[in-house]
Amino acid sequence: MNLLDQPRVELQTLVDVVSLTDKGPVRKSNEDSIVVVHASGYASLSKGTLMVVADGMGGMDDGAVASSMVTAKLPALYFESKVINPVESLVQAVAETNRKVYELGGTMRPGGGMGSTVAACVIVNESLIVVNVGDSRVYLLHSSRLRQLSRDHSMRKEFFSPLRTSDAMNLNHVLTQAIGPQPTVKPHVSIARIAQDDIVLLCSDGMTSSLSDSEIKEVLTAACFNEIPSALLAQVYDKQGDDNVSIIAARLVAAASSHHSIV
């Protein structure tokens, strides 16, 4: 069955979510924004639970405005879309959010300069849909295996091999794509099956620049679910991380239907 022709199911998927956003141990202000929206607030329950992390780009003007606009506009664009399939709907919502931020940036500052990352994911039935632009990340912990489902749109990740890390360390945070600077974007899309008690983690690069994947996995497997964001933030503070930190952790409690998974 084509991914864009899935049957509509008006049953609610139950998801536990805990989150935080923090200026971090060094920064004086927070340019990150986060939002979690359940479909129960809209007419269609088939679009699941939406989670978004947006990191305003500190090297560009009005990063906080851009990230706030992402989290304000994207949920309505997603849930109110007449497109039934959540994959297509989320991709379109990210593209439209980019257009709106780009247009506002041109109005506020001729020549542009407003930018943000976005990591957005939807849990619907037994599927996890991930769409991202920039280097904010989405991870999935399943059966004690942690894997990154998002793709970093950075110079290092896209143009340097892992064997040349000494040449590329300074390019970690030089983005090849972001929300706002250009009129169009090409989001990365990933779809995975999710099982009960799997943990989904969204985060800004203020966390991943301080913690390795193995350190993140250790917290996810050892901490009580409700304490995951605060436990990760505490480690960032221990390491004197130099950026804002935003974290959303989600856990599937019960799927609406095991017969209508997207994957």
Side-chain angles (χ1 to χ4, degrees):
M1 180 179 291
N2 191 300
L3 292 180
L4 303 184
D5 295 314
Q6 298 297 315
R8 188 183 183 112
V9 182
E10 296 297 338
L11 295 173
Q12 189 171 7
T13 301
L14 300 179
V15 180
D16 283 341
V17 182
V18 288
S19 62
L20 62 77
T21 183
D22 188 272
K23 68 179 182 61
V26 175
R27 296 290 178 91
K28 294 181 178 180
S29 62
N30 190 355
E31 293 187 338
D32 287 1
S33 297
I34 63 174
V35 68
V36 177
V37 183
H38 300 281
S40 56
Y42 291 83
S44 174
L45 298 181
S46 64
K47 288 191 175 180
T49 297
L50 170 68
M51 294 159 284
V52 181
V53 167
D55 179 359
M57 295 168 63
M60 307 190 85
D61 297 331
D62 302 311
V65 175
S67 68
S68 296
M69 190 172 179
V70 169
T71 54
K73 297 293 185 182
L74 202 155
L77 289 168
Y78 171 69
F79 284 108
E80 294 176 3
S81 170
K82 294 182 180 179
V83 176
I84 294 174
N85 180 265
V87 181
E88 182 180 6
S89 183
L90 185 57
V91 171
Q92 290 184 2
V94 169
E96 180 65 10
T97 298
N98 176 77
R99 186 184 67 80
K100 290 179 179 294
V101 175
Y102 173 78
E103 290 178 351
L104 179 63
T107 300
M108 294 178 63
R109 296 183 182 273
M114 179 181 289
S116 174
T117 70
V118 64
C121 72
V122 171
I123 296 177
V124 55
N125 300 331
E126 294 177 322
S127 298
L128 175 64
I129 304 159
V130 175
V131 177
N132 82 280
V133 178
D135 60 357
S136 293
R137 292 182 180 179
V138 180
Y139 291 92
L140 175 64
L141 181 70
H142 171 75
S143 298
S144 299
R145 179 193 175 200
L146 182 70
R147 58 188 176 117
Q148 181 181 336
L149 298 182
S150 57
R151 177 180 178 181
D152 292 353
H153 292 129
S154 68
M155 290 289 288
R156 179 183 179 187
K157 290 292 185 180
E158 297 201 45
F159 296 107
F160 287 81
S161 77
L163 297 179
R164 297 180 61 191
T165 54
S166 60
D167 297 331
M169 287 302 292
N170 292 330
L171 299 179
N172 272 347
H173 305 299
V174 178
L175 300 185
T176 57
Q177 282 199 92
I179 297 293
Q182 300 296 326
T184 61
V185 290
K186 295 181 179 179
H188 174 73
V189 180
S190 180
I191 307 171
R193 185 178 296 277
I194 184 172
Q196 188 168 333
D197 295 328
D198 284 357
I199 296 176
V200 179
L201 181 72
L202 292 79
C203 58
S204 60
D205 74 326
M207 191 194 84
T208 53
S209 61
S210 296
L211 305 182
S212 67
D213 284 5
S214 60
E215 290 171 321
I216 295 169
K217 178 182 175 181
E218 183 177 352
V219 172
L220 295 183
T221 54
C224 296
F225 174 75
N226 289 340
E227 297 174 356
I228 285 174
S230 58
L232 289 167
L233 180 64
Q235 291 209 10
V236 173
Y237 267 77
D238 286 344
K239 296 192 175 188
Q240 284 294 297
D242 62 357
D243 203 353
N244 307 144
V245 180
S246 291
I247 300 165
I248 301 175
R251 176 176 62 183
L252 180 65
V253 178
S257 170
S258 62
H259 302 294
H260 297 283
S261 175
I262 293 174
V263 290

